[in-house]
Amino acid sequence: VSSPRAWERINFMVAPGVSILSILRLQLGIVGDFADTSGSKTDLELRPMVTIVPPILPIYGRAIFAVANLAGSGGAKREFAYGAAGGVRFGLGPVGIFGEVGVLPRTRDLPNGSGGTSSKFVWIIEGRVGAYLEF
C-alpha cells in the first residue's frame, strides 16, 4: 500500500502449532520466500504467531512476528517485522480451509531516483489461502 507500489515474492508456509483451551493457538510458521520477482533470491523466514479462535464463529485474529532473510541470500540483511491478520475458516471435523488478509510492515531498499537505493518503511498487505489439519 505504500508508494511506490510493487508485488512481493510468493511464499509457501507450513505452520505447526498447539491449541490452548481451544481458543488460543500458538504456531511457528516456516516460510519459503521464492525468487519470483526481478532481482530477488529464494530465502527462509520464521513467523511465530498467536491466534485467537472463537469456538463458535468461523472467524479468527492473528498476531504475527517475523524474522526474515534467515539464509541471507543475495547479501540481504536479517529483518524483523510484526503485524496482524484476520480471516475466516470452514471445516468439518479436524480438516478445513481458510482465507485471511494480513498487514505486515517491512523495510525495503527502493530506487531513490538518483541511480541508487534507499531504505524505506513500507506497508505490505498479504493474502493467504490454505488448508488445515488438527489432531
Side-chain angles (χ1 to χ4, degrees):
V1 289
S2 300
S3 182
R5 289 173 179 82
W7 288 101
E8 282 287 306
R9 296 181 286 180
I10 290 177
N11 62 36
F12 179 79
M13 178 168 60
V14 175
V18 61
S19 290
I20 301 172
L21 301 174
S22 74
I23 192 170
L24 184 67
R25 181 173 302 132
L26 305 175
Q27 295 174 281
L28 177 61
I30 303 162
V31 182
D33 287 322
F34 298 106
D36 63 349
T37 59
S38 176
S40 67
K41 303 275 186 196
T42 298
D43 213 326
L44 293 173
E45 182 175 321
L46 292 179
R47 288 189 180 185
M49 299 178 285
V50 177
T51 307
I52 302 292
V53 183
I56 298 173
L57 301 173
I59 61 173
Y60 63 89
R62 180 187 316 256
I64 305 168
F65 307 94
V67 181
N69 303 322
L70 291 176
S73 297
K77 61 184 176 184
R78 188 150 299 138
E79 179 180 26
F80 300 93
Y82 59 91
V88 295
R89 56 184 256 158
F90 301 99
L92 185 59
V95 179
I97 58 172
F98 70 90
E100 72 180 38
V101 175
V103 177
L104 199 62
R106 307 265 184 129
T107 302
R108 293 288 182 255
D109 290 331
L110 301 171
N112 61 11
S114 61
T117 61
S118 60
S119 186
K120 184 177 179 185
F121 181 80
V122 295
W123 289 90
I124 297 175
I125 295 176
E126 299 180 332
R128 285 181 279 283
V129 294
Y132 64 88
L133 173 65
E134 296 175 339
F135 51 90

